[in-house]
Structure formats: C-alpha cells, structure tokens
Amino acid sequence: MKIFEYLKKLIEKKSDQSSKRFIALIISCLIIYITIIYATEQNVVLILIELISFVLVLMGVAVWENIKK
C-alpha cells in the first residue's frame, strides 16, 4: 500500500521534479515488463546490455544537466 501512496503523492504534486520522477518510474516499470516478456535464452545478454546502456545514458544526461547549471 505504501507504493500506491507514493504514486498518489507524485501525481498530486505540482512541482516539476515530481512529474519527472513519476515519468521515470512509469518508464522503468514498462521497460521491466517488456524485458520479462521478450527475453529469451538467446537474447538475454543483448537485452541486458541495452538496458545498462540506457541507464548509463540517463545518468550521463542527469550529470550533464547538473554541471550545466
């Protein structure tokens, strides 16, 4: 139930940060779902590499935005 309360707080807040966290959370859940559905023994390494690359790019963009400010 705490997860639902957390999501409710993210949706209700009007700040820019809360909407970014909510979008990131929804995208992460979607990626996890797609990974579980489409991963097979033959492509599991490729999918993991792509997910790690995606996370590293997101981290790089976040760091770049903080340095830019």
Side-chain angles (χ1 to χ4, degrees):
M1 296 313 265
K2 289 184 180 182
I3 293 174
F4 294 121
E5 292 174 14
Y6 176 71
L7 290 174
K8 186 177 177 182
K9 287 179 185 177
L10 283 179
I11 294 170
E12 289 177 352
K13 290 187 178 180
K14 301 290 184 190
S15 69
D16 197 29
Q17 291 295 324
S18 64
S19 63
K20 288 180 184 177
R21 285 189 298 243
F22 180 71
I23 291 171
L25 187 64
I26 294 298
I27 289 173
S28 299
C29 292
L30 181 64
I31 289 172
I32 290 169
Y33 174 74
I34 291 172
T35 302
I36 291 171
I37 295 298
Y38 292 108
T40 62
E41 292 180 11
Q42 290 82 22
N43 67 358
V44 71
V45 174
L46 179 64
I47 289 175
L48 289 175
I49 290 171
E50 288 176 354
L51 289 175
I52 291 171
S53 300
F54 179 69
V55 169
L56 289 175
V57 167
L58 289 178
M59 289 173 57
V61 168
V63 169
W64 180 66
E65 284 182 0
N66 284 338
I67 291 173
K68 190 176 171 182
K69 290 181 182 179

